[in-house]
Amino acid sequence: MTKSTAPRRSRRSLLRATLLPAGVAASLVLVPLPGAFAAVSADAVISEVYGGGGNSGAMLKNDFIELANRGGAAFGLAGYSVQYLPGTPSAGSKWGVTPLTGSIAPGGRYLIAEAAGTGGTVVLPTPDATGTLALSGASGTIALVQGTDPLSCKTAADCAAEPRIKDLVGFGTAVVREGSGPAAGASNTASVARTAGLPDTDDNAADLKAGAPTPVNSAGEAPEGGDTPTGPAEPGSVRIHDIQGNTRLSPKVGKNIAGVPGIVTGVRTYGSKGFWIQDPNPDADPATSEGLFVYTGSAPTVAVGDSVLVTGKVAEYYPAAAAGGQSMTQLTAPAVTVLSAGNPVPAPVVLDDASIPAAYAPDAAGGSIENLTLAPGSYALDRFESLEGMNVRVENTRVVQATDKYNELWVEARQQDPASSRGGAVYLGYDRPNSGRVMVQSLLPLADSPFPVANVGDELTGITEGPLDYNRFGGYTLAATTLGAVRDNGLQREVTDRALPSEVAIATYNVENLDPSDPDEKFAQLAKGVVTNLRSPDVVVLEEIQDNNGAVNDGTVDASSTIAKFTAAIAAAGGPAYDWRSINPENNKDGGEPGGNIRTVFLFNPARVSFTDTPGGSATSAVDVTGTGKWASLTASPGRIDPGNEAWDSSRKPMVGEFKFHNKKIFVIANHFNSKGGDQGLDSRFQAPARSSEVQRTKQAVVEQGFVAKLLAADPNARVVSVGDFNDYQFSPALKALTKECVLRDLVNELPASERYSYVYQGNSQVLDHSLVSPALKHVEYDVVHINSEFASQASDHDPQIVRIKP
């Protein structure tokens, strides 16, 4: 559930009670508490302030204010502003205002560029907001305010009583500040920034320290370009393991460290540019990593094997902040001295069953595990964190997620994790996340060393070696400097059994945002899947059919052109002349890509089944049940199940239709429940991770279960088939709610455990699509037809499913 971004009304008291001496009348004297301020923020705070931009001696050209989000949900900034007041305001001083937009991802940063000076050589990374405030380099007050009207307070006490202030930082000699004193040390070359863990004790002097400016935007970018500082001449006293520490957060964060020695183990010239160094002389603590990423912002000039000294500021970067992902400790704004070249890199740590624990992560009851001491012998996530930035290796390991368009694949380094029937890693429960999954990327030039194309079940043979990184979508990543070869294990796309004449075949297929502008090849591949691999089912329930102009956001909702192009492609592939039924949604009310208006669609073969058209179905009208026994029917066909219920807000509404096969009535429900967007990842720094999106899916399941129960109360022998993309697992609360009181049974649970998957994500073969049937349907055959999710070449990211029923 998204946390509210409204200002906190609960304030610390601005007064303290002082007891009078004995013998004096029992009463209280109320004395102002100097510097008291807003309640500690659980989410948005001002993380760094710099007013020396463009001044004498400054490297950066602009002043800046950086915000951070300490919380586990995005913090919306719409309607907020940052405001500035001089450190010693005069009677005529006024607060300057910079309005804000957008949001701060959980664990993320938000950069506001302010006025530029005439000096400096380095530009800020792309700011998230831009203002014209000319901050003092030495003293001032910054406030994060709900609203854009200027504040009027000019004392600490008056500002503490201002309910619109979310957070406030006074620096230098600022009169308006939080706590006993302002943050000290700001200058033309130094900012004030919160220390490790972003503390907010409402004491600016304690919470913020001065240091070299380190502006970071919401994309995690730091400054590029400018003059390169002179590199260090001698090693300092701090080593990499001192910087990494034995938790997920560096004990040195925010500090400038001089002369850190190491051997370059990998160089990245794309994305977040920089290089890794590793100390060849480790300490004795298995919890402290000996590797570290050095963020340069531009193509590094060092090479693997260089022995270097690096001076830089320690920072924690969150590549996958929106999913609650782990941070990466790094050195920023580096000065580098190369001492020698061609040195051997430190020997890699082999990732295998012996080195990776079966247990995945410590449990913090949903809280952060960042400050817990790492236990690399007990938990896989702690083991990976203890190797962050170090040279690691996998050997002869199986591929558990196919190569994608970003030149990435996933391997299973721990062979004891449960395997799917076709070589993947099958995900069978929240407590069984498959701890050995590791992504593989390449640091090698693609022109010289093309990235291997692999399917699930193939083997990455030989040695794959390089620094252990963390990727932008979550998951620890081997950034390969040596890349193994693929051994093709001959994975084939499945073809389901042919239905008997006495069986009605009903399939479901998520066709991944299909619209007429998609290439003809996509339509042809999807059509081949329907005709060849599914053997032209009698009914096909489609999900993610977009409107006639796709993501063009112009109010179009009709999808007849999309469906016509698809049914024509099916006919061209040798399939039947499908008829279809659907209900256009309200514009931009059903979620998905803005302007796309995705919806579910019934395709059916009129030579095999008939559709009972009952008028009255619309985007907003609710279908009901009428009649009893064999006369039970729908008040609208097709019709939507309770579309006005808040469970379906910004989500697809289930559509039910009445079919006849051999003169027997079958009710088919087409589903596409709300997505998992906003959930924390399995590898989140919050453990156990929050699955906020499942609250809505569970509500949706309750609504649909109630409708099916009503239909079965009218006719206990009603033949009901509910299929589609439910965006949830067979063991989830949503599917448990949907199958409550046995109104429906989930057929995936009747497959062997190794075959329970229709989708692959982060190396886990998992169930998102389901086919459920009512008790009256006894003779049912069910098949997940694996033609997409395990392959590098995909027509969709989902595998279709089919049920063959003797009604």
Side-chain angles (χ1 to χ4, degrees), residues 248-582:
R248 286 172 165 78
L249 297 176
S250 170
K252 308 290 186 182
V253 72
K255 295 184 179 180
N256 285 295
I257 308 295
V260 180
I263 304 296
V264 176
T265 58
V267 176
R268 185 162 60 203
T269 58
Y270 60 89
S272 182
K273 299 180 181 69
F275 60 92
W276 288 267
I277 58 175
Q278 185 169 334
D279 195 328
N281 301 303
D283 68 0
D285 188 350
T288 57
S289 171
E290 303 294 340
L292 187 64
F293 185 68
V294 180
Y295 176 77
T296 58
S298 56
T301 57
V302 297
V304 172
D306 286 352
S307 176
V308 297
L309 299 176
V310 182
T311 294
K313 186 174 182 179
V314 179
E316 294 287 350
Y317 169 50
Y318 292 83
Q326 308 283 335
S327 68
M328 293 297 292
T329 305
Q330 57 185 21
L331 288 178
T332 62
V336 183
T337 300
V338 178
L339 302 176
S340 62
N343 299 281
V345 299
V349 174
V350 177
L351 301 179
D352 57 12
D353 292 74
S355 65
I356 303 173
Y360 194 59
D363 189 353
S368 174
I369 60 174
E370 289 186 300
N371 290 308
L372 299 181
T373 300
L374 297 175
S378 300
Y379 304 107
L381 278 188
D382 286 13
R383 178 56 168 162
F384 291 138
E385 179 65 22
S386 76
L387 300 174
E388 176 189 282
M390 290 179 62
N391 197 28
V392 298
R393 173 187 291 180
V394 293
E395 300 180 20
N396 301 322
T397 185
R398 77 180 193 273
V399 175
V400 292
Q401 184 162 333
T403 304
D404 63 20
K405 62 183 179 181
Y406 304 108
N407 292 311
E408 302 165 338
L409 58 81
W410 289 72
V411 297
E412 178 56 88
R414 188 176 181 277
Q415 300 304 315
Q416 292 181 11
D417 287 342
S420 74
S421 59
R422 288 160 57 88
V426 65
Y427 182 46
L428 297 175
Y430 294 127
D431 59 343
R432 303 177 66 183
N434 295 317
S435 62
R437 298 167 294 111
V438 178
M439 180 189 275
V440 174
Q441 295 175 331
S442 178
L443 298 177
L444 304 171
L446 293 178
D448 301 329
S449 303
F451 194 79
V453 177
N455 297 325
V456 168
D458 290 348
E459 187 174 354
L460 192 61
T461 63
I463 292 172
T464 298
E465 180 178 317
L468 189 64
D469 193 25
Y470 188 82
N471 86 80
R472 65 194 183 283
F473 297 121
Y476 284 91
T477 302
L478 195 163
T481 55
T482 301
L483 197 55
V486 170
R487 184 173 72 193
D488 186 350
N489 282 342
L491 190 72
Q492 298 295 311
R493 300 182 199 272
E494 291 185 332
V495 176
T496 195
D497 292 338
R498 193 179 302 279
L500 299 173
S502 59
E503 294 176 325
V504 61
I506 301 173
T508 175
Y509 199 172
N510 182 319
V511 292
E512 195 178 6
N513 288 326
L514 188 66
D515 75 78
S517 68
D518 285 329
D520 291 345
E521 178 59 24
K522 179 176 181 177
F523 279 88
Q525 289 179 357
L526 290 168
K528 181 181 178 182
V530 171
V531 175
T532 301
N533 303 91
L534 293 175
R535 295 187 184 271
S536 299
D538 302 310
V539 178
V540 184
V541 173
L542 301 175
E543 300 89 50
E544 294 199 17
I545 289 287
Q546 290 197 337
D547 63 35
N548 290 340
N549 60 14
V552 178
N553 196 358
D554 64 356
T556 299
V557 294
D558 185 67
S560 57
S561 297
T562 310
I563 302 167
K565 186 171 181 178
F566 189 32
T567 54
I570 290 172
Y578 280 112
D579 200 350
W580 62 277
R581 297 291 186 273
S582 188

Side-chain angles (χ1 to χ4, degrees), residues 636-705:
S637 175
R640 285 181 144 195
I641 298 174
D642 198 5
N645 193 298
E646 57 92 19
W648 310 109
D649 287 351
S650 298
S651 181
R652 283 70 54 185
K653 288 71 174 169
M655 180 177 65
V656 59
E658 186 177 317
F659 294 83
K660 282 189 177 178
F661 175 75
H662 292 179
N663 207 33
K664 294 180 179 179
K665 192 180 300 184
I666 301 174
F667 299 96
V668 180
I669 304 175
N671 298 277
H672 189 186
F673 280 17
N674 77 296
S675 76
K676 290 183 173 291
D679 286 7
Q680 294 169 352
L682 289 175
D683 58 344
S684 170
R685 63 186 181 278
F686 304 100
Q687 291 291 335
R691 300 182 296 272
S692 57
S693 70
E694 78 178 13
V695 175
Q696 184 175 1
R697 283 191 301 279
T698 303
K699 290 180 179 178
Q700 293 174 342
V702 169
V703 173
E704 182 167 322
Q705 192 270 355

